Structures are given as structure tokens and as C-alpha cells.
């Protein structure tokens, strides 16, 4: 390995391993218990087919994302690139159990038929995600970042943070020990004794205290006999493909009602996670990520797993605690060993849940905060709006679970009775249906309105109307005219926004997105002033419309200006960045004399802020327009300037 090659393992990977590994193993433990206890799938099928299938599908994904991270690190010459986290999708775990397999079990009385239906459902999910790989990059390009991250923040606060927080308070005398190390080490950036990894130390110390309490007779939170029993059950079980998924596909119609919106949810969440990673500094291909997720679900279904894998929320958290490439690889190896041998029960017997969940709480906090930290302050209301559907989905889930525990449900109690007692169940239920998509739609509308892009807001509202009409958002089921009241509401919203756009069309002329910046000189990657863009995100390599000329200013930097109508111009290459306010101020302060920020028309017609130079000053220097850009000029004429 050359000195400049990215390392396969760094010390911070221990934190990532114990965090992501804990998360994935917890999910594997949960889905194992659901298969055995709820769907009543035979143990030999669970341990001999489902877990070994996950033991193939999950490590393949971890290896792929480690490869992408290493390639990105090499391409950009960085040592701080973090691989995307990967594991079984948590929402899908509960949905395939309670919405797909359990109803089939109740209808047929055959657990294996229910399992095959789950395999078919996972296969459909994978196919939809693969379609999302085609359209996902386009959707991401035109959707405001604050809307994507706001929807993700809603998930992180509800489904990632709330359950761990509640579990911590079940045994705070254990959980607070782990939480103390996490707060001091990760939030406070303090080194641990003996320079130990924070995540490892937090889990081990909390677990040690729990066992001391158990052995001293103070607590029964762990059972020593369970450890020995779990070890005696260990055995090697390898996966094999079969046609069970094809058998399940013979009755496909009932599966589509949940598979279609959940497949869209999967590729939408995948996009938001890629956006989250990009905001943290690691820009991955949406198409490559969604393709891997889709293939993981398809391959897993043929091997015997009804649980689609997915890129996890949490990349910025693992990056912040030092995880790089190795944590993903080793997590994959650990998961494979656990799934092939049945070590799930042993882990659950050794480590108390309260020693593990503070790590997940921390990740939820980081993701929730990221939406605000990397977005302009004016978008804060839009971010909150994008979070609300996930809060509604979480709340209705809690209500449904509580009613089920009492042996009833909302329909039996009566929605009107719930509303009369202050539980707005019907509104919460509709708001939370398709929560991620709803959050993105509402957040995008708010972002566009804040930026006075009323036509864009109106188009987004019209998209919301179309999605609700076919039942993909804000509806109880998929079908035409699935939610007429919601569809009509979105349509009214679209018309009103369009009317305001028409009324204020002249006022919007010349409004630029102050979070974008087109650079064509030494701010570009690999050049002298690129460090001033630290904290900005490269959106794309692009070029101007053919209306500009560029000169070399003493072979130190370029000077670009727009020509008049009728004059000969050219398309000048450069890079487009998303630039937070603090980074923009640093860029402006570091610019050489004569350069200024002004409107630049790109080759696709967009007008964005860019770096320009006064024409009268530029014309005193040699014209280098024929080269097409500063980087090309440097490479062919002034290589010594590198």
C-alpha cells in the first residue's frame, strides 16, 4: 500500500463497528424473534434459511459500500471518507411481519406459506428500488436539500431515537453509564482513558456493571444460564437458493398494496441518506446505492430472506466518531458469522439492551441536528414541516400498539370517540401514511415558497395531488382516487401557489440561490484556494452557457466575464457547489483582488452565483478562452503552475 492510499482500518473504526454492529445485530435479533414468535415460522427455517440468507445479502452490501468509500477516498485524495452504513431495513422488518406474513398466516394457518409471501414481497420491493435507481438522481437534483434532510430528521427523532430513549429509562443505572462515555467522548470530543474507542468502552463498562449487579443478586436483567444455553445451540448453517419466492409470487395482487409505496419509500429514504452523506462531505452516486439496495433485496429473497436490506440512517454520526472504511467491512464479517452460526442468542444473553441503545440514541441526535446545521437558517420552518409526517406515523403506531395490547383497535373503539378525547387519530393516520414522501413533498413546497419560487412550489403540490390520488401518500391503500379529500387539498394548494407565482412573476426576476456557487478557477478541486471551500459540497462538474470569455491574470488565477449580445463567447468549464453561509464568507474573504460574486448562466439555462472579473481589467491580460477553462489552460500551457 502506498503512503497516499486510504487505510482499511483506523482507530475510529472501532467506534463505527460497535455502533453499526450493535444496530445491525439488534435488528437481526428483533427480526429473528418476530419470525419465531409472531409468524411462528419453524426454527429450522429461521436459522437454516432466513438468517443464512441475511448472512450473504448484508455482507455483500457492506463490502460494496466499503469499496465505494475506498474508491472515493482515492479519487479525492482524502483519508476521512466514511462508508455508508447498511443493514436490514427497520420499518420493513415490522411491515413484512405484521402487514404481509401475519395476515397470510391467519388466513391459511400455514407459516411456510406466510414466509413465501414475505419472500415475494421482498422481491417486489427490490424491483421497485431498482427502478428508483433510474429516476432517483433526477428527483434528488430537483428536490431541495432541506426537504430531504428534514424528512430524514423526522425518522431519526421518532424511529431511531425514541425507542432507545425509552429503553434506557427501563434500566437507567446501566444506560446512563454508557451514555456518560458517549456524551463526553463523542459530543464533548474528549479522549477516553488509555485512548480507548468510545463506543467499545461505553458498551463494555455498562455491560460489566450490569453483570456485577446480576451476580451480586441486585438485578435479574441478565440470566447466566441463558449464555450457556445459547452457546449449546450454535451450529453452522449455510444459505442456498430456492424457488420459494416464485411460489409466493403466484398470489401477487394482495402484496402490491404495501409493496409499491414501501418500495418507493425505500428508494426515497436511500436518496435522503445519500444526501445526508453528501452534506457530511462524502458524495456517493445515488444510482449505485439504489442499485445495491435493490439487488440486495432480490438476492436475499431467492436465498430465503423476506427482509429487504437498505442503506442506514447514520452516516454523519459514524463519520463524526471516526468510522471510515473498516467498520463497514468488519460489520459485514461479524453479521455473516452471527447469521451462519446462530450467535444472535448469545449476543442477546451477554449484552444488556440498555448498554447498547445509547449508541443508537446518539446517532438519532446527530441526524436530527444535521438537517439544521447544513441548511440555511431560513429553511428551519421547512425542515420542521418535513419532520411532522414521521412524528404522526410514530404516534399512530404507538396508539395502535396500545389499543392492541388492550385487545381492541381504533375501528372498534371508534375514531369519533378517540377524537372526542383529544386523540386526532384520523388526521394523524392520514398525515403519516407514506411519511418520508409526504415530508419531502411538504418540505419542498415550503423551501420553494421561502425562496419565492412559487411555480416550483405549485408543481410540487401538484405532484402531491397525483401521489395521493393513487394512494402512495396520505391514503389508507393504493388505488385510484384513494384519498379524495387530500388530493383536492393539494390541488387547491397548487392553484393558489401558481396564482401567487403569476402575480409576482416580475418580482422574482434576478433572485439567485445564495447557497450555490459556480467556480472556474483556483477554488476548484486540487487547486490553490480549494481549501477555502472546506465544508461546501460539490454538486456537479458543469460549464457556463456559451456567453463568456476568460483571461489569465498573471497566470495566478482566471478572470471570467460575460460578453454582450452578438459578441463571440464560449462555454467555460467549472464546478458547482452548495456553499453554507460561513464557507461563503471565507471564500469571499480569500478571493484575489478584482474577483467578485455575480450571476452566471450555466449551460442548462440555470442562473446561479459565480465568480466573475471586471471586463475592463480582464482585457488587459491574455485571453485564454480557446482552452475552455482554467484547468485546461494550466494543463496545456502552464504545467509548472501546478
Amino acid at each position: 500500500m502506498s503512503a497516499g492510499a486510504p487505510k482499511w482500518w483506523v482507530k475510529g473504526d472501532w467506534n463505527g463497528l460497535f455502533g453499526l454492529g450493535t444496530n445491525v445485530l439488534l435488528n437481526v435479533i428483533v427480526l429473528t424473534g418476530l419470525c419465531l414468535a409472531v409468524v411462528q415460522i419453524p426454527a429450522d427455517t429461521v436459522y437454516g434459511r432466513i438468517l443464512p440468507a441475511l448472512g450473504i445479502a448484508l455482507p455483500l452490501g457492506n463490502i460494496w459500500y466499503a469499496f465505494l468509500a475506498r474508491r472515493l477516498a482515492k479519487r479525492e485524495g482524502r483519508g476521512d471518507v466514511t462508508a455508508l452504513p447498511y443493514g436490514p431495513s427497520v420499518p420493513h422488518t415490522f411491515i413484512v411481519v405484521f402487514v404481509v406474513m401475519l395476515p397470510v398466516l391467519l388466513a391459511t394457518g400455514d407459516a411456510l406459506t406466510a414466509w413465501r409471501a414475505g419472500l415475494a414481497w421482498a422481491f417486489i420491493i427490490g424491483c421497485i428500488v431498482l427502478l428508483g435507481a433510474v429516476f432517483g438522481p433526477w428527483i434528488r437534483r430537483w428536490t431541495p436539500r432541506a426537504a430531504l434532510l428534514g424528512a430524514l430528521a423526522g425518522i431519526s427523532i421518532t424511529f431511531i431515537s425514541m425507542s432507545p430513549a425509552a429503553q434506557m429509562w427501563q434500566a437507567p443505572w446501566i444506560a446512563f453509564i454508557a451514555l456518560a462515555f458517549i456524551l463526553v467522548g463523542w459530543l464533548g470530543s474528549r479522549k477516553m482513558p488509555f485512548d480507548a474507542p468510545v463506543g467499545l468502552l461505553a458498551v463494555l463498562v455498562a455491560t460489566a456493571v450490569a453483570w456485577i449487579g446480576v451476580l451480586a443478586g441486585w438485578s435479574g436483567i441478565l440470566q447466566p444460564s441463558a449464555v450457556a444455553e445459547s452457546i449449546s445451540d450454535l451450529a453452522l448453517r449455510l444459505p442456498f437458493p430456492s424457488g420459494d419466492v416464485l411460489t409466493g409470487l403466484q398470489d401477487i395482487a394482495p402484496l402490491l398494496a404495501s409493496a409499491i409505496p414501501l418500495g418507493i419509500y425505500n428508494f426515497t429514504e436511500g436518496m435522503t441518506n445519500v444526501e445526508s452523506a453528501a452534506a457530511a462531505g462524502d458524495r456517493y452516486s445515488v444510482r449505485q446505492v439504489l442499485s445495491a439496495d435493490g439487488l440486495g433485496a432480490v438476492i436475499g429473497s431467492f436465498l430465503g430472506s423476506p427482509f429487504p436490506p437498505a442503506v442506514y440512517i447514520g452516516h454523519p454520526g459514524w463519520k463524526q466518531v471516526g468510522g471510515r472504511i473498516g467498520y463497514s467491512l468488519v460489520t459485514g464479517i461479524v453479521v455473516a458469522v452471527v447469521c451462519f452460526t446462530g450467535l444472535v442468542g448469545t449476543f442477546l444473553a451477554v449484552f444488556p439492551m440498555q448498554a447498547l441503545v445509547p449508541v443508537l440514541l446518539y446517532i438519532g441526535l446527530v441526524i436530527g441536528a444535521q438537517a439544521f446545521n447544513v441548511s440555511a437558517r431560513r429553511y428551519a420552518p421547512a425542515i420542521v414541516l418535513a419532520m411532522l409526517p414521521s412524528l404522526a406515523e410514530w404516534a399512530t403506531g404507538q396508539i395502535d400498539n396500545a389499543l392492541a395490547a388492550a385487545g381492541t383497535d381504533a375501528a372498534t373503539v371508534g375514531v369519533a370517540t378517540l377524537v372526542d378525547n383529544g386523540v386526532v387519530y384520523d388526521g394523524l393516520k392520514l398525515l403519516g401514511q407514506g411519511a418520508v414522501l409526504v415530508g419531502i413533498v411538504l418540505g419542498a413546497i415550503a423551501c420553494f415558497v421561502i425562496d419565492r419560487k412559487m411555480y416550483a412550489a405549485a408543481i410540487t403540490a401538484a405532484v402531491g395531488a397525483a401521489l395521493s390520488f393513487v394512494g402512495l401518500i396520505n391514503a389508507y391503500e393504493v388505488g385510484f382516487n384513494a384519498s379524495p379529500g387530500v388530493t383536492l387539498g393539494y390541488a387547491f394548494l397548487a392553484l393558489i401557489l401558481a396564482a401567487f407565482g403569476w402575480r409576482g412573476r416580475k418580482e422574482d426576476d434576478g433572485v439567485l440561490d445564495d447557497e450555490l456557487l459556480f467556480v472556474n478557477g483556483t477554488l476548484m478541486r486540487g487547486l490553490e484556494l480549494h481549501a477555502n471551500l472546506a465544508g461546501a459540497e460539490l454538486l456537479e462538474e458543469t460549464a457556463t452557457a456559451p456567453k463568456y470569455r476568460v483571461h489569465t491574470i498573471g497566470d495566478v488565477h482566471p478572470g471570467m466575464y460575460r460578453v454582450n449580445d452578438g459578441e463571440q463567447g464560449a462555454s467555460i468549464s467549472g464546478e458547482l457547489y452548495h456553499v453554507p453561509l460561513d464557507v461563503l464568507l471565507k471564500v469571499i474573504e480569500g478571493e484575489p483582488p478584482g474577483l467578485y460574486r455575480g450571476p452566471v448562466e450555466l449551460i442548462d439555462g440555470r442562473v446561479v452565483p459565480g465568480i466573475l472579473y471586471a471586463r475592463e481589467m480582464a482585457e488587459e491580460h491574455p485571453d485564454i478562452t480557446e482552452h475552455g477553462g482554467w484547468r485546461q489552460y494550466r494543463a496545456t500551457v502552464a504545467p509548472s503552475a501546478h
Side-chain angles (χ1 to χ4, degrees):
M1 180 183 295
S2 64
K7 295 181 179 180
W8 286 105
W9 185 269
V10 298
K11 191 180 75 170
D13 281 318
W14 283 109
N15 289 328
L17 172 61
F18 274 84
L20 179 62
T22 295
N23 196 346
V24 173
L25 290 176
L26 282 176
N27 293 334
V28 171
I29 290 169
V30 169
L31 66 86
T32 301
L34 292 174
C35 287
L36 293 170
V38 176
V39 191
Q40 300 171 23
I41 299 174
D44 59 346
T45 301
V46 174
Y47 289 103
R49 296 297 311 280
I50 295 177
L51 290 182
L54 285 172
I56 289 292
L58 295 181
L60 284 177
N62 288 116
I63 292 170
W64 172 244
Y65 290 121
F67 165 76
L68 291 183
R70 185 171 173 82
R71 189 173 68 175
L72 177 63
K74 282 185 175 181
R75 184 171 67 244
E76 298 188 356
R78 297 194 288 124
D80 64 343
V81 174
T82 296
L84 291 166
Y86 185 73
S89 173
V90 178
H92 291 65
T93 294
F94 290 95
I95 289 169
V96 72
V97 169
F98 291 103
V99 178
V100 178
M101 294 194 291
L102 182 58
V104 174
L105 173 67
L106 296 176
T108 65
D110 187 347
L112 291 181
T113 299
W115 167 60
R116 293 187 182 101
L119 297 181
W121 183 86
F123 174 81
I124 298 169
I125 290 287
C127 292
I128 295 173
V129 174
L130 288 174
L131 287 175
V134 177
F135 301 105
W138 181 85
I139 296 173
R140 183 189 177 211
R141 178 178 179 181
W142 295 106
T143 304
R145 164 182 282 194
L148 290 172
L149 295 183
L152 197 61
I155 299 173
S156 71
I157 291 173
T158 52
F159 296 101
I160 303 300
S161 299
M162 286 302 297
S163 181
Q167 288 174 302
M168 286 171 57
W169 260 257
Q170 289 179 321
W173 62 279
I174 297 174
F176 279 26
I177 294 172
L179 182 64
F181 286 102
I182 289 170
L183 290 177
V184 174
W186 288 347
L187 283 186
S189 302
R190 297 289 296 273
K191 284 189 176 183
M192 295 292 100
F194 310 107
D195 208 20
V198 177
L200 172 62
L201 192 61
V203 171
L204 291 183
V205 174
T207 299
V209 172
W211 276 108
I212 291 172
V214 169
L215 296 176
W218 305 333
S219 172
I221 197 168
L222 296 167
Q223 298 295 328
S225 60
V227 179
E229 183 179 343
S230 68
I231 294 175
S232 67
D233 290 337
L234 298 180
L236 181 63
R237 302 173 179 89
L238 299 178
F240 59 90
S242 73
D244 289 297
V245 63
L246 301 178
T247 303
L249 284 169
Q250 292 176 3
D251 190 18
I252 190 175
L255 305 177
L256 296 178
S258 61
I260 291 176
L262 264 294
I264 294 174
Y265 166 93
N266 244 29
F267 84 70
T268 304
E269 185 179 38
M271 286 192 310
T272 58
N273 288 332
V274 171
E275 189 68 33
S276 177
D282 297 338
R283 184 173 178 81
Y284 291 102
S285 164
V286 173
R287 187 163 286 119
Q288 290 176 338
V289 169
L290 294 180
S291 296
D293 282 5
L295 287 173
V298 171
I299 293 172
S301 68
F302 276 97
L303 291 175
S305 170
F307 301 101
V311 167
Y312 271 13
I313 296 173
H315 170 278
W318 307 131
K319 188 178 186 70
Q320 186 170 323
V321 301
R324 296 297 178 254
I325 298 173
Y327 89 104
S328 178
L329 277 175
V330 178
T331 294
I333 295 171
V334 170
V335 169
V337 171
V338 168
C339 289
F340 291 159
T341 61
L343 268 170
V344 172
T346 303
F347 275 99
L348 190 59
V350 172
F351 295 101
M353 193 72 67
Q354 287 74 19
L356 303 175
V357 291
V359 177
L360 305 184
L361 174 61
Y362 169 79
I363 295 303
L365 297 178
V366 170
I367 300 302
Q370 184 197 42
F372 296 94
N373 292 338
V374 303
S375 302
R377 280 186 288 184
R378 68 178 186 274
Y379 292 131
I383 293 171
V384 174
L385 181 60
M387 293 165 57
L388 294 182
S390 289
L391 292 169
E393 184 184 24
W394 179 82
T396 51
Q398 295 296 303
I399 295 169
D400 288 339
N401 291 342
L403 292 174
T408 185
D409 56 31
T412 303
V413 173
V415 172
T417 301
L418 292 172
V419 172
D420 289 341
N421 285 274
V423 181
V424 191
Y425 182 85
D426 51 349
L428 287 173
K429 187 75 172 179
L430 269 185
L431 175 58
Q433 294 294 100
V436 174
L437 270 175
V438 179
I440 292 174
V441 169
L442 295 178
I445 291 171
C447 287
F448 287 135
V449 170
I450 290 169
D451 289 338
R452 295 192 292 173
K453 298 176 180 178
M454 295 300 178
Y455 287 138
I459 292 171
T460 306
V463 169
L467 292 173
S468 65
F469 181 79
V470 296
L472 295 180
I473 64 172
N474 302 133
Y476 297 121
E477 59 185 14
V478 175
F480 289 107
N481 200 25
S483 191
V486 175
T487 301
L488 187 61
Y490 277 119
F492 283 151
L493 179 60
L495 289 173
I496 294 170
L497 291 171
F500 274 104
W502 182 85
R503 183 175 183 272
R505 61 194 181 281
K506 294 183 180 180
E507 299 175 6
D508 290 339
D509 292 343
V511 176
L512 298 178
D513 188 338
D514 59 9
E515 292 189 322
L516 297 179
L517 185 67
F518 175 80
V519 301
N520 63 90
T522 55
L523 284 168
M524 293 189 294
R525 289 174 297 170
L527 300 183
E528 292 83 357
L529 295 182
H530 182 66
N532 289 350
L533 278 173
E537 177 201 354
L538 174 65
L539 298 178
E540 59 183 301
E541 294 180 354
T542 185
T544 69
K547 301 176 181 180
Y548 294 85
R549 301 197 69 81
V550 63
H551 296 246
T552 174
I553 313 301
D555 275 349
V556 175
H557 63 82
M560 185 180 75
Y561 58 87
R562 179 168 180 150
V563 299
N564 297 321
D565 293 341
E567 292 184 323
Q568 181 65 41
S571 182
I572 307 301
S573 65
E575 299 171 350
L576 182 65
Y577 286 85
H578 176 277
V579 184
L581 179 59
D582 58 331
V583 177
L584 178 61
L585 294 175
K586 183 168 59 176
V587 167
I588 294 173
E589 291 171 357
E591 283 293 272
L595 294 172
Y596 66 95
R597 182 169 167 267
V600 172
E601 182 179 350
L602 300 182
I603 197 166
D604 60 7
R606 286 178 293 166
V607 178
V608 301
I611 304 298
L612 297 171
Y613 198 73
R615 177 171 184 168
E616 60 274 14
M617 296 173 61
E619 289 178 336
E620 298 176 359
H621 300 272
D623 191 317
I624 60 170
T625 304
E626 62 181 9
H627 294 282
W630 181 247
R631 197 185 295 279
Q632 296 90 323
Y633 168 74
R634 291 260 302 246
T636 57
V637 177
S640 61
H642 283 283

